[in-house]
Amino acid sequence: MEMIGRAKERDQLLRCERSDKSELVCVYGRRRVGKTFLVEQTLSAFFAFHVVGSKDASTSAQLREFGLELNDRGDADTNPPKDWREAFNRLYKVIVSPDAPRSPHGKAVVFIDEFPWFARQRSDFLSAFATFWNRRSTSGQKLLVVICGSATSWIIEHMLDSSTDLAARVTESIFLEPFTLAETKEYFDDRGFGWDQQTLIETQMVFGGLPFFFSLMRSHQSLWENIDRLCLAPRAQLRNETMVLLESTMRKSRIYVDLFRLLSRHKYGVQKRGALEQLGYSASQFAKAVDEVVRCGYVREYRNMGLAQHPKFLMLVDPFILFHFSFIDPANGVAPRRWSDFVADQGRFNAWRGNAFEVVCLCHIGQIKAALGIGGVETKEYPWHSARHDGGAQIDLVIERADRIANLCEMKFTDLPYELSRPHEQELARKREVYAQETGTRLALKTVLVSANGTSGYHDGSIAQVITAEDLFRR
């Protein structure tokens, strides 16, 4: 089976292989998004050296593993390196040896996977790596060194932030996004699942666009059966996945669990200041945690333009983490073992379903803008809710456009075409009026309905455009 999607990222890697200079490439992104698979499928035939960091392993254990990989690549010294400087000196000797593999354009390709796990506190790994790169990247042998890691915030802080020495050395950075709906469809079609668009949207609502999760699914089972087996059974493979994610990519602190649990209960997010007060952690702990989850893409930070001083809000936008704290580990502690039990609990199920569909839509802003014909227009996007306690309104998504129009988007995920009635359209018109009054906007306001299965029933012309699943599945 061929790799699905990732054409742009593969081109970036291959461009670095073809270049006439040494390249230091940083591939990062969420755990389970397919970073290792991308690098291996593109470059593994040319690896001169490949090593994987181990979570929680001591420096001595990491050095032993590094030494064993060196031995496998022809290093005759069977003693583990005494420190990282020796390790990288021996690495260079291995990759420049006449027998070492070369890429088609003559480069020595080194892949260091789970790079952050090597850089333990009080370890000289980072300084030794920097010395290795500074000295060897301009030597006679051209190098292609690819580093990879799921600890996104660590990668940004230590490898990409402009204030660090190594940031100036990185020649290419690749942030690997989850699959879009179009890529998800291509993946499941390629494997003979035969699922329709609605089922594929529901798949993303639970699992996000994470290829590793998709690889665990069985084509002879329905989506419901796959969810039961992978997530809800007592020893389900993904039952503890979110906890592993937090432990392996972030600091071991309860604040992340508490923050995600809080945000999972609020569809439009929580005011940042209010979240700090509710969680009860110190301001410094809270600021550090928020910075990490926003950088990793699990949480979106936005301003509510309808409230005084436009306060910042935090919104959970990772579908699988939302699913985990909604169903696998809910706040009330009641986690049924079958998906059909959730569906039967209509109130709880529909609340999650609406929220999860909105998150999927937020991940497909580009497709929504393309459907509106504004793909090249600069925009700001955010949910909005009224400051009023009575007679207020909530808007699932506002798209403020540089061409002086704001699209007020209402999201609907229903099994059948969403049935409009005169009261429904009147309510949408009322929301538009409340938004105009409270924000004082001078933009022209146009209501957009994003309905996976389209609409039926009454139309009075107040809805400017209907966006359907067909639009969300476009590339």
Side-chain angles (χ1 to χ4, degrees):
M1 296 180 182
E2 295 184 0
M3 179 183 287
I4 301 300
R6 310 309 196 199
K8 181 185 74 172
E9 293 82 2
R10 285 172 63 91
D11 286 346
Q12 287 176 275
L13 288 172
L14 293 174
R15 182 199 63 76
C16 291
E17 189 278 321
R18 294 191 302 268
S19 75
D20 60 0
K21 63 185 178 70
S22 291
E23 302 273 1
L24 175 56
V25 182
C26 180
V27 180
Y28 65 112
R30 188 201 193 282
R31 173 179 159 88
R32 306 304 200 188
V33 79
K35 302 178 296 298
T36 299
F37 186 74
L38 166 70
V39 177
E40 290 183 340
Q41 289 292 302
T42 307
L43 299 173
S44 64
F46 323 128
F47 284 168
F49 184 76
H50 177 203
V51 69
V52 183
S54 299
K55 177 180 175 289
D56 293 334
S58 65
T59 296
S60 60
Q62 302 272 30
L63 284 166
R64 282 196 301 273
E65 182 62 28
F66 202 94
L68 291 173
E69 294 293 336
L70 289 171
N71 296 153
D72 288 346
R73 296 289 178 169
D75 183 12
D77 188 345
T78 57
N79 295 313
K82 66 178 184 298
D83 57 30
W84 286 114
R85 292 187 186 279
E86 178 187 330
F88 282 109
N89 284 335
R90 286 165 57 177
L91 169 63
Y92 186 70
K93 292 177 182 178
V94 164
I95 63 179
V96 298
S97 70
D99 297 330
R102 295 286 182 272
S103 73
H105 292 84
K107 287 188 175 174
V109 180
V110 174
F111 180 31
I112 305 179
D113 200 359
E114 295 300 354
F115 186 86
W117 287 351
F118 285 107
R120 296 176 55 82
Q121 289 185 348
R122 296 181 295 278
S123 165
D124 66 340
F125 176 81
L126 271 184
S127 62
F129 176 79
T131 300
F132 161 77
W133 180 256
N134 292 337
R135 290 179 59 195
R136 305 305 188 183
S137 63
T138 55
S139 62
Q141 173 62 54
K142 291 186 176 65
L143 308 179
L144 171 53
V145 177
V146 182
I147 64 173
C148 185
S150 299
T152 304
S153 60
W154 189 99
I155 292 284
I156 293 171
E157 180 180 349
H158 293 90
M159 300 301 300
L160 301 178
D161 192 292
S162 59
S163 65
T164 66
D165 291 336
L166 278 171
R169 307 290 188 265
V170 173
T171 59
E172 187 77 66
S173 63
I174 301 174
F175 180 69
L176 200 60
E177 301 270 7
F179 276 175
T180 63
L181 283 168
E183 291 166 331
T184 298
K185 175 175 170 52
E186 184 180 353
Y187 183 98
F188 285 105
D189 285 352
D190 182 64
R191 285 149 179 81
F193 277 67
W195 287 353
D196 62 11
Q197 288 184 338
Q198 179 164 329
T199 303
L200 293 171
I201 293 174
E202 290 175 338
T203 300
Q204 277 223 351
M205 286 160 57
V206 174
F207 295 102
L210 300 176
F212 175 77
F213 292 171
F214 296 168
S215 72
L216 303 176
M217 301 176 79
R218 298 172 181 169
S219 60
H220 69 276
Q221 292 183 324
S222 69
L223 174 60
W224 290 19
E225 289 173 309
N226 277 291
I227 293 171
D228 288 347
R229 177 176 55 84
L230 292 172
C231 301
L232 303 180
R235 287 175 291 280
Q237 186 170 350
L238 300 181
R239 193 172 185 87
N240 200 42
E241 171 66 22
T242 294
M243 296 302 122
V244 174
L245 166 74
L246 297 180
E247 290 176 4
S248 63
T249 62
M250 297 181 181
R251 294 168 177 82
K252 291 183 178 180
S253 172
R254 182 71 190 177
I255 189 172
Y256 299 102
V257 174
D258 292 342
L259 177 59
F260 286 145
R261 193 181 298 281
L262 172 65
L263 298 182
S264 71
R265 300 197 300 266
H266 297 272
K267 179 178 179 180
Y268 297 104
V270 178
Q271 190 168 335
K272 191 173 181 180
R273 184 184 298 274
L276 171 60
E277 295 170 353
Q278 290 185 60
L279 293 175
Y281 291 90
S282 70
S284 60
Q285 280 181 293
F286 179 77
K288 183 66 175 177
V290 168
D291 181 62
E292 289 199 350
V293 297
V294 170
R295 281 182 165 190
C296 291
Y298 305 138
V299 170
R300 188 168 183 264
E301 188 174 60
Y302 71 92
R303 290 188 179 276
N304 187 328
M305 307 306 289
L307 299 180
Q309 300 180 335
H310 310 321
K312 289 184 177 180
F313 275 67
L314 302 173
M315 180 181 179
L316 180 58
V317 292
D318 184 282
F320 188 78
I321 295 177
L322 175 63
F323 175 77
H324 176 95
F325 287 105
S326 297
F327 293 137
I328 298 175
D329 185 19
N332 65 5
V334 180
R337 293 165 59 174
R338 292 181 301 275
W339 184 245
S340 56
D341 295 334
F342 292 129
V343 177
D345 187 350
Q346 283 293 296
R348 184 180 174 195
F349 175 73
N350 287 332
W352 165 80
R353 196 185 198 198
N355 192 356
F357 180 61
E358 288 167 27
V359 169
V360 170
C361 290
L362 281 173
C363 295
H364 290 77
I365 288 291
Q367 285 77 6
I368 292 174
K369 288 178 61 176
L372 293 171
I374 57 169
V377 178
E378 184 179 345
T379 60
K380 293 189 293 186
E381 308 92 24
Y382 53 88
W384 180 85
H385 60 83
S386 170
R388 299 178 188 173
H389 294 293
D390 297 316
Q394 294 180 329
I395 296 172
D396 296 333
L397 177 67
V398 178
I399 303 177
E400 272 192 24
R401 300 160 37 173
D403 57 0
R404 302 195 57 75
I405 290 176
N407 293 117
L408 310 184
C409 302
E410 185 87 1
M411 316 291 195
K412 298 295 181 183
F413 188 75
T414 51
D415 294 328
L416 299 173
Y418 180 67
E419 187 173 354
L420 282 167
S421 64
R422 186 181 298 274
H424 288 151
E425 296 218 31
Q426 290 173 340
E427 174 60 15
L428 293 176
R430 188 191 71 81
K431 287 185 177 185
R432 189 168 60 240
E433 292 172 6
V434 172
Y435 177 84
Q437 292 170 3
E438 292 198 26
T439 62
T441 183
R442 296 183 178 181
L443 302 181
L445 303 181
K446 306 293 182 181
T447 298
V448 174
L449 185 61
V450 183
S451 176
N453 284 307
T455 62
S456 65
Y458 176 84
H459 288 268
D460 68 359
S462 63
I463 297 175
Q465 190 166 343
V466 176
I467 293 174
T468 68
E470 291 292 337
D471 300 304
L472 297 178
F473 274 85
R474 297 190 193 283
R475 292 191 178 277

